[in-house]
Structures are given as structure tokens and as C-alpha cells.
Amino acid sequence: AQSVTQLGSHVSVSEGALVLLRCNYSSSVPPYLFWYVQYPNQGLQLLLKYTTGATLVKGINGFEAEFKKSETSFHLTKPSAHMSDAAEYFCAATGANSKLTFGKGITLSVRP
Amino acid sequence: KAGVTQTPRYLIKTRGQQVTLSCSPISGHRSVSWYQQTPGQGLQFLFEYFSETQRNKGNFPGRFSGRQFSNSRSEMNVSTLELGDSALYLCASSLEQEETQYFGPGTRLLVL
């Protein structure tokens, strides 16, 4: 069975600092990988996705993620955090069917 | 294009009652998936419908059921509500299976 691991439950960074949110997947076959963001009292918004091809994926709001098959990782980064980035971030994977398997999520706080 | 819409946005029910939640996918999307989000269990897959047929089902009791109509709109029903059913229920739609899923704002259900 597929699983997605997001280490830690909370990350705090200063405004302007690098954001790094880690995600590892467990699958014998590289799945499709996604990062979603959830703001309070809202649904999930797609940040970016990896299906095939280029391993460095650029998403919205300046976020990007790199698929590393050798490390089974798909970490999310942003060079410079903004106050508006404060939210909960979910890494997810899907395989042959359309069932999304989510990580536990990680809350990002941005300090002024 | 309009996004995924879910109604109602908020619901309060009492134990033993039943509830029906509705989801209208993005125009042209034929796959609709449902997820339950709770603080303790995170995001869990309920089921997925494609062209009016249930294609995948998660590990939830039979009290949770769903259906999809010919216009791709979907409903999920929970019978004999329990306190533990209090959650945010999210609907997501995609063009086909394995495609990117786009989420609605969710229905927040509180069972008293």
C-alpha cells in the first residue's frame, strides 16, 4: 500500500527566509505526486504536481518541488517566505487508481 | 470555469440522524471523489465515482454511501450519525481517473 510521510507537524520561518517542507513516499512504482495548500476554513488548493518528465516542478505562488526517485522524496521549497504563505500543506500521491493518499500535513507559520 | 461547489457548507446534526451532502464538479469533469478530514485521522479517502459507477472505495463502514448522477453531480449520505462523524467532508473532481483532482471548499459536519 502506498504511504506518504511528512515529518513534523509544524514549521516556523521568518518572513523572507527559505521554506522547506519535506515529503517522502513509499511506492514500488513512482506515483503521481502533489502538493496542496489549505487555508483556514477552506478546501485544498493545488500548488503543483509531478506526473512524468522534468523532475523540478514549478507551482503557484513561487513554490517548487523536486522529484528524487533515488530518495523517494518530493520536498517543497520556496526561496522567500511571505506572511500569506502561512497555511497547512499536504503532500499526496496517487497511483493506478485515482485515490489520493495524503500525508498528515504540516502547518507553516511565518514570523514577521 | 466555476470550481467545485459543495452544499451545504455547514451542518449540525444529532446522533442517529442521517445526512446528505452534495457536490457539483467542474464542468466536464466525470470523476468525483470524496474525502473525510479530521484532526486525528487527517485526510482519508471515502470513495470515487466515475460515469455514475463507484470505482474505488475506502475503509469506511457501510453507513457511508454515495452516488453520482448523469450530469456528474454527486451526493454522499451518512446514516445513523455518530459523534465521530464530525468532520470536514471534501469533494474533488477530475477529468478522468489519474488526473489532477480539484477540491471544493468542503462541508463541515458537526454531530451533537
Side-chain angles (χ1 to χ4, degrees), chain B residues 16-99:
Chain B
Q17 288 186 310
Q18 74 163 13
V19 67
T20 299
L21 312 182
S22 181
C23 171
S24 292
I26 293 171
S27 178
H29 285 195
R30 296 197 292 163
S31 175
V32 174
S33 297
W34 288 89
Y35 296 83
Q36 182 197 63
Q37 185 178 24
T38 60
Q41 299 299 317
L43 280 151
Q44 294 184 284
F45 173 77
L46 280 157
F47 29 65
E48 184 246 348
Y49 287 86
F50 182 79
S51 292
E52 301 180 66
T53 301
Q54 187 180 90
R55 297 295 290 265
N56 294 291
K57 191 176 190 304
N59 296 323
F60 279 82
R63 301 185 297 106
F64 292 81
S65 62
R67 59 178 176 169
Q68 186 179 35
F69 302 95
S70 58
N71 62 358
S72 294
R73 190 177 69 86
S74 177
E75 290 180 346
M76 68 163 281
N77 183 274
V78 187
S79 62
T80 319
L81 283 165
E82 300 177 359
L83 296 179
D85 297 333
S86 294
L88 180 67
Y89 290 88
L90 292 164
C91 167
S93 76
S94 61
L95 274 170
E96 304 284 346
Q97 279 190 309
E98 304 175 34
E99 288 284 340

Side-chain angles (χ1 to χ4, degrees), chain A residues 23-96:
Chain A
C23 173
N24 289 87
Y25 67 91
S26 171
S27 174
S28 58
V29 176
Y32 294 167
L33 295 162
F34 305 83
W35 276 98
Y36 286 89
V37 61
Q38 186 176 35
Y39 298 99
N41 298 315
Q42 294 188 27
L44 302 177
Q45 180 182 5
L46 179 69
L47 275 178
L48 49 79
K49 65 179 180 182
Y50 169 79
T51 52
T52 57
T55 56
L56 182 61
V57 181
K58 294 189 183 299
I60 62 172
N61 301 338
F63 285 94
E64 62 182 35
E66 186 171 11
F67 170 66
K68 291 187 176 180
K69 183 179 178 180
S70 61
E71 299 176 7
T72 60
S73 69
F74 190 57
H75 302 331
L76 181 71
T77 60
K78 180 174 180 177
S80 177
H82 191 272
M83 296 296 291
S84 61
D85 295 327
E88 191 162 15
Y89 292 80
F90 293 91
C91 181
T94 186

